[in-house]
Amino acid sequence: MGIWIFQTLCISLIMTLLLELLFCLAAGIREKKDLLLACLVNVLTNPFVVLVHYIALYYTKWNHILVVGILEIGAVIVEGICYKSYGKKIPHPFYLSLFANLFSYGTGLLINILN
């Protein structure tokens, strides 16, 4: 691993923040504290998920889909708990977490396929 991992982490975090904020706005989240919370939970989960993903694939022969599934489910749960605990006007925190993650992961997957 080298400098590319730092670049990957930065690009992934920036794209995730943009996509999930757009998703929150599209889902009707307007409270500034809730939008800030969306940023904070992604700063908490995204670098960890991306780093563990690359470490698992680089150093093990684990199934890629299994690794991604476990990490994304973990991120959805952690983010959902944060939204439920600290959100001001988030009516369905776990659904928000699930669908925001599906949106950002799916968009990232599509971008990578098209490159």
Side-chain angles (χ1 to χ4, degrees), residues 10 18 23 26 43 53 59 66 80 86 106:
C10 289
L18 290 172
F23 185 87
V43 168
H53 171 261
Y59 291 109
L66 182 63
Y86 303 107

Side-chain angles (χ1 to χ4, degrees), residues 1 7 12-13 18-19 26 29-30 33 37-38 48 62-63 65 68-69 79 81 91-92 94 96-97 102 104 106 113:
M1 287 194 195
Q7 293 169 333
S12 176
L13 181 59
L18 290 172
L19 290 167
I29 306 297
R30 297 290 186 269
K33 289 183 180 181
L37 178 61
F48 176 80
W62 294 348
N63 180 289
I65 294 170
V68 169
E79 291 176 13
I81 290 169
H92 304 288
F94 287 95
L96 176 66
S97 177
L102 284 171
S104 64
I113 289 170

Side-chain angles (χ1 to χ4, degrees), residues 41-102:
V41 299
N42 280 291
V43 168
L44 173 71
T45 59
N46 180 268
F48 176 80
V49 167
V50 174
L51 184 60
V52 171
H53 171 261
Y54 279 103
I55 289 171
L57 295 180
Y58 188 78
Y59 291 109
T60 72
K61 295 189 186 296
W62 294 348
N63 180 289
H64 179 262
I65 294 170
L66 182 63
V67 170
V68 169
I70 290 169
L71 290 170
E72 288 297 327
I73 288 169
V76 166
I77 291 168
V78 168
E79 291 176 13
I81 290 169
C82 290
Y83 288 145
K84 183 175 173 83
S85 299
Y86 303 107
K88 299 292 181 192
K89 294 182 179 177
I90 300 176
H92 304 288
F94 287 95
Y95 285 138
L96 176 66
S97 177
L98 174 64
F99 291 118
N101 277 283
L102 284 171

